[in-house]
Every structure is written in structure tokens, then in C-alpha cells.
Amino acid sequence: MDPVTRTEPSTAKTVSPGTGVGLRCWGTRGSIPTPGPETVRYGGNTTCFELRHGGSRLIYDAGSGIRPLGLDIVEKGPDTIHIFLTHFHWDHIQGFPFFAPLYDPEDSIKVIGPKQKDIDVQNLFAGQMGPIYFPVPFSVVAAEMEFEHLNEGEYELEDVRMQVMRVKHPSFVLAYRIEVGGHTICLVPDNEMEGDMYDVGPDWKKRIVDFVGDADVLIHDSMYTDEEYERRAGWGHSTFSQSLRLAEEGGVGRLLFFHHDPIRTDDELDTIVARVRDGALARGCSVEIEAATEGMDVQLEADV
Ligand SMILES: [Zn+2]
Ligand SMILES: [Zn+2]
């Protein structure tokens, strides 16, 4: 599969600039890139999403999916790019050194993410391009770069309004609530709904339900089945059923499972999604359920 050219998977509509809000999924795999024939449909690249609404390039996370996105940007010409990060685990930043616009002096890139104690965003990025990890030093980056911290509160960019919230996963990890064009998309990355070992405050459960409240689309970490979770509690991730419970409690319209486990084949994911969907329908749950697919465009029509 070539995610640069693959634009229209079976269940998705294509976004036309100016007609609505679209979210392109460039990487939906969790933990480590997982290429191969058994993952070709849902994709093997790690976390990267792009918000398309006719304005600036807004990118969420820099997993290996940002590499083909970078090629797409280069093909279309220099741009002003904003990259919002959820956290700094490898699968969310590993594609950054391979992001082609970095090496074009005509590109402008702003990276916004959560500071980790005393380590700022620039040092976290430059660190992964040190000579022990990567052959090309950060000093070779030619694009105009800017770094900014975002650990709590709101962030506005043109007509896009974002709120962030710390979620339950090792280190300081952000979820994003993105409001644009009368629509709301919530991106909740690595997050362990049931974990109790995280320093997130006593009312966290209520706050996360409010945070995703009435979203058109919720994209949520769904690595494990209930059976698998019995052996994975404390690993920082949620189950399919936990994600669905959050979507229901928040009154979400459409739920996309993501951060697919590297061991999960396409066929297994099909089976799991069908089972969860059937169970939800049987008890009258109205949430639309599917698994995020690399190359998928999630389109929300303009209604404002
Ligand atoms: Zn991850
Ligand atoms: Zn993580």
C-alpha cells in the first residue's frame, strides 16, 4: 500500500478543500511500525493525523506516518506547518527525522507539545537526532523551526480551537479536543481508561467524559481485547470495550479505534470490530463504530 496515493478507502469519503472538515489518518498502528501482508489494509505506520479544513497544515503526532505526509507536502510546495504532539514515546515521534519539509528552507514548522518536567520540546526532538540515534544532526534542519509548550488549557489557530487534557499513560500525555467548522473531533492517544497508577487527579473520569462530550468523532487508543487486558493492565492502553464505554458516556457520534496492537492482523481487527459493533447494536447503542485505517479520510460536512 502507498499511503501517499491511497485516498479513498471503502468506508471513507474524500475531502474537498473548503467543503468541510477532514481528518486524514496517516498512521494508526501503535508501538512500532508493522509492515507486511497481514497489516496492509489497516496499515503499519504509527500515529499521525492531519486536519484538513482549507487552512494551515495541522498535524497530530509524528509517528512513522508523518514520512509519507511529508512527501505529500513537498509535492504540493512549501507550507506553514503546525505539529501538535501528544507525547514523546517512539511511536509518536519516530517519523520526525524523516519528515521531508524539515530539510526545505522554504518551509516553516512549529512544533507544539507537552513539556516533560524540565525537558522542553526542542530538546526532546533534538535528542532523538543525536549521533548515537540518527546520522543527520538537528543543525542540518533547514526549515524555519519554532517550538512551544502546551501542557494544559486551550490553543487557538485561525478558526481551529483546541483544548488539551492530560490522560493516563506514562509521562505527560495529552489528548486533544479539536473544534472547527461547527464540528468536534477528539483525539485521545495512548490512554489507559481503567488504570489507577497515574497522577491525573481524583475527578479525572468525569473530566474525560466531559472532554469528549458530544464529539462528532472520537479516536481512541484501543489496543486490547478484554481477555488480553487481563495480562496488560498497567501497560498504559485501553480495550475496545473501554473506548466504547467512554464514547457512550460522552454522547459521541462516531468512534474510531486506533493505536492498533502490532500483533493484530487485519482479519483479527475485522472480527473484533464486527463483534463489538454487533454487541453495541444489540443493546441499542447508537455510536458508529469502526477501526481507523491508514489512508482514511474522516469527513465532516460543512454545516455552518
Ligand atoms: Zn503509542
Ligand atoms: Zn505512549
Side-chain angles (χ1 to χ4, degrees), residues 9-294:
S10 57
T11 56
K13 300 170 195 168
T14 303
V15 179
S16 301
T19 61
V21 177
L23 192 81
R24 164 73 62 90
C25 305
W26 290 91
T28 60
R29 187 69 48 177
S31 304
I32 190 167
T34 316
E38 294 190 318
T39 56
V40 73
R41 282 191 290 112
Y42 287 101
N45 277 314
T46 61
T47 311
C48 183
F49 297 91
E50 177 194 8
L51 186 72
R52 296 181 159 192
H53 70 296
S56 306
R57 291 265 191 174
L58 271 65
I59 299 169
Y60 295 86
D61 274 348
S64 66
I66 203 171
R67 191 194 63 81
L69 168 53
L71 299 177
D72 184 62
I73 292 172
V74 167
E75 195 178 300
K76 294 190 170 87
D79 212 337
T80 300
I81 300 159
H82 289 76
I83 303 175
F84 294 89
L85 298 171
T86 62
H87 64 309
F88 293 86
H89 290 164
W90 290 341
D91 51 323
H92 299 257
I93 64 167
Q94 207 166 28
F96 187 71
F98 301 91
F99 185 53
L102 280 182
Y103 307 101
D104 183 345
E106 292 191 61
D107 278 315
S108 166
I109 304 171
K110 188 170 190 176
V111 181
I112 303 106
K115 188 175 179 177
Q116 305 291 320
K117 294 186 177 165
D118 291 334
I119 311 173
D120 63 29
V121 177
Q122 180 165 1
N123 278 325
L124 288 158
F125 262 99
Q128 74 161 334
M129 293 178 77
I132 294 173
Y133 300 110
F134 195 69
V136 180
F138 190 77
S139 57
V140 171
V141 167
E144 184 185 331
M145 296 293 303
E146 198 178 337
F147 295 88
E148 192 172 339
H149 300 145
L150 178 64
N151 285 63
E152 59 184 349
E154 297 185 1
Y155 195 101
E156 282 191 39
L157 184 65
E158 297 170 2
D159 56 343
V160 182
R161 181 171 170 266
M162 283 167 267
Q163 291 173 263
V164 296
M165 176 180 170
R166 186 177 183 179
V167 290
K168 296 201 292 187
H169 191 67
S171 77
F172 200 113
V173 183
L174 292 181
Y176 286 82
R177 179 182 172 95
I178 306 157
E179 296 175 3
V180 56
H183 300 291
T184 302
I185 299 170
C186 288
L187 173 61
V188 183
D190 304 19
N191 176 42
E192 185 165 7
M193 281 302 300
E194 300 301 324
D196 59 2
M197 68 291 285
Y198 305 100
D199 183 21
V200 288
D203 62 343
W204 183 87
K205 179 70 192 305
K206 180 184 181 308
R207 285 189 288 116
I208 188 82
V209 171
D210 290 344
F211 186 81
V212 304
D214 297 326
D216 297 281
V217 179
L218 168 64
I219 303 171
H220 196 276
D221 173 354
S222 307
M223 272 192 94
Y224 305 129
T225 64
D226 293 347
E227 299 74 35
E228 289 165 346
Y229 186 69
E230 290 174 14
R231 301 186 304 279
R232 299 286 185 267
W235 286 32
H237 301 285
S238 293
T239 67
F240 298 93
S241 54
Q242 288 163 5
S243 296
L244 177 56
R245 201 171 306 132
L246 174 62
E248 287 188 83
E249 289 175 3
V252 168
R254 184 177 177 192
L255 171 64
L256 296 180
F257 299 131
F258 103 106
H259 208 273
H260 308 313
D261 194 313
I263 64 163
R264 192 83 63 212
T265 68
D266 291 334
D267 291 346
E268 287 171 356
L269 205 43
D270 283 344
T271 303
I272 291 167
V273 171
R275 189 172 68 219
V276 174
R277 190 186 287 141
D278 289 348
L281 281 172
R283 56 188 173 76
C285 168
S286 61
V287 179
E288 280 182 51
I289 297 165
E290 59 193 307
T293 305
E294 188 174 316

